[in-house]
């Protein structure tokens, strides 16, 4: 742990104010464009929203899955890359919140599908899709955040002990009730062992359901039991691509 801390430790660089304002401006433009799209062509606007939700959520989750796999196999070759992968977990709560508005677009997605194939049962009822999607995505988010918490806590506490001045609210929360290096390192390892396995087990299940419910179900006739696997493996590759770009 000491060696890993020394390799991955870095002084956080301040984010330029111009970049923050530019990002907020782009966020505002995107929000206005989406609202305008709802007024012009609601079905098209929700389609674009869904594609973006699946892309960015998959990218972030794929990064965390990489970090969990890195821990499970006991890798030691790339602590800074692991930190970048864990950093993608910051988007997961945002991703969960962005899933909730999809409830208002599900009728646009599935209304036409039910007309073309009325034999589809209650499993593809939009409300049921929303409930199981919320439960799955929420559980995946909690597991991922807890995994990253147990990974960061020992190193953040050790850095604070050595006089490193981090982001006060975040690092203070991560190292709250610090009990010393020895205790925290063992606690962190035990927590990561359990939670990394949980992330790796929950990921294919959750993202297979997302593939079936939010993509495959939009076709009124075609289906494939392989599509779930295709989707969650693709999102993992997407996370790796995001890490490569960063």
């Amino acid at each position: 742990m000491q060696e890993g801390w020394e390799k991955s430790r870095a002084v956080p660089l301040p984010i330029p104010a111009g970049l923050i304002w530019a990002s907020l401006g782009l966020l505002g433009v995107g929000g206005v464009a989406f609202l305008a799209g709802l007024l012009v062509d609601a079905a098209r606007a929700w389609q674009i929203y869904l594609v973006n939700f699946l892309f960015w959520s998959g990218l972030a989750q794929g990064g965390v899955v990489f970090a969990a796999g890195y821990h499970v196999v006991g890798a030691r070759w790339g602590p800074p890359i692991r930190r970048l992968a864990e950093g993608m977990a910051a988007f997961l709560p945002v991703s969960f919140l962005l899933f909730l508005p999809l409830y208002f677009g599900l009728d646009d997605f599935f209304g036409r599908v039910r007309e073309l194939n009325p034999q589809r049962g209650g499993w593809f009822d939009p409300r049921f899709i929303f409930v199981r999607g919320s439960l799955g995505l929420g559980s995946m988010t909690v597991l991922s955040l807890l995994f990253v918490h147990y990974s960061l806590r020992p190193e953040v506490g050790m850095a604070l002990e050595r006089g490193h001045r981090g982001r006060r609210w975040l690092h203070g929360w991560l190292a709250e009730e610090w009990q010393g290096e020895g205790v925290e390192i063992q606690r962190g390892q035990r927590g990561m062992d359990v939670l990394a396995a949980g992330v790796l087990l929950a990921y294919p299940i959750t993202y297979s359901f997302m593939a079936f419910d939010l993509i495959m179900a939009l076709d009124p006739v075609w289906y494939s039991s392989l599509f779930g696997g295709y989707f969650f493996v693709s999102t993992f590759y997407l996370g790796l691509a995001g890490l490569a770009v960063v």
Side-chain angles (χ1 to χ4, degrees):
M1 173 64 76
Q2 177 68 24
E3 181 182 357
W5 179 78
E6 293 294 344
K7 288 182 179 179
S8 63
R9 179 171 62 93
V11 177
L13 297 176
I15 302 175
L19 179 60
I20 295 176
W21 285 108
S23 299
L24 291 175
L26 291 172
L27 180 64
V29 171
V32 171
F34 174 64
L35 294 176
L38 289 177
L39 297 175
V40 175
D41 187 347
R44 180 65 172 168
W46 283 117
Q47 289 170 8
I48 297 171
Y49 186 97
L50 177 63
V51 169
N52 278 274
F53 166 77
L54 292 171
F55 178 88
W56 294 108
S57 300
L59 191 155
Q61 189 63 69
V64 178
V65 169
F66 168 81
Y70 183 99
H71 175 77
V72 166
V73 302
R76 295 289 183 269
W77 54 268
I81 298 175
R82 175 171 62 95
R83 280 287 175 256
L84 290 175
E86 291 175 345
M88 292 183 176
F91 184 72
L92 296 181
V94 179
S95 169
F96 177 74
L97 293 177
L98 291 175
F99 173 77
L100 301 180
L102 279 173
Y103 177 81
F104 302 101
L106 290 178
D107 281 331
D108 286 328
F109 289 131
F110 293 105
R112 181 61 175 166
V113 173
R114 288 197 301 270
E115 292 176 6
L116 296 174
N117 188 357
Q119 295 181 344
R120 288 206 163 169
W123 180 263
F124 288 109
D125 180 83
R127 291 174 293 275
F128 191 20
I129 289 176
F130 178 78
V131 168
R132 64 177 178 266
S134 299
L135 293 175
L137 198 60
S139 301
M140 191 80 243
T141 300
V142 170
L143 282 172
S144 299
L145 293 178
L146 286 175
F147 166 73
V148 173
H149 177 273
Y150 275 99
S151 175
L152 290 177
R153 178 179 169 86
E155 297 186 18
V156 168
M158 290 163 62
L160 294 178
E161 279 189 344
R162 287 160 173 75
H164 172 66
R165 296 178 62 186
R167 293 181 175 89
R168 182 176 301 175
W169 69 270
L170 177 60
H171 289 182
W173 172 71
L174 284 170
E176 188 177 4
E177 298 182 1
W178 178 254
Q179 299 179 21
E181 284 185 21
V183 174
E184 294 293 347
I185 288 174
Q186 292 182 3
R187 179 187 177 192
Q189 289 296 318
R190 289 196 302 268
M192 290 173 67
D193 289 344
V194 174
L195 290 165
V199 168
L200 294 178
L201 290 173
Y203 171 67
I205 298 172
T206 301
Y207 273 70
S208 289
F209 272 100
M210 287 178 61
F212 295 143
D213 292 343
L214 298 178
I215 305 175
M216 192 181 73
L218 297 178
D219 190 301
V221 179
W222 179 82
Y223 63 91
S224 170
S225 59
L226 295 177
F227 188 72
Y230 171 82
F231 179 71
F232 77 74
V233 171
S234 297
T235 55
F236 176 65
Y237 288 159
L238 181 61
L240 297 183
L243 283 174
V245 171
V246 173

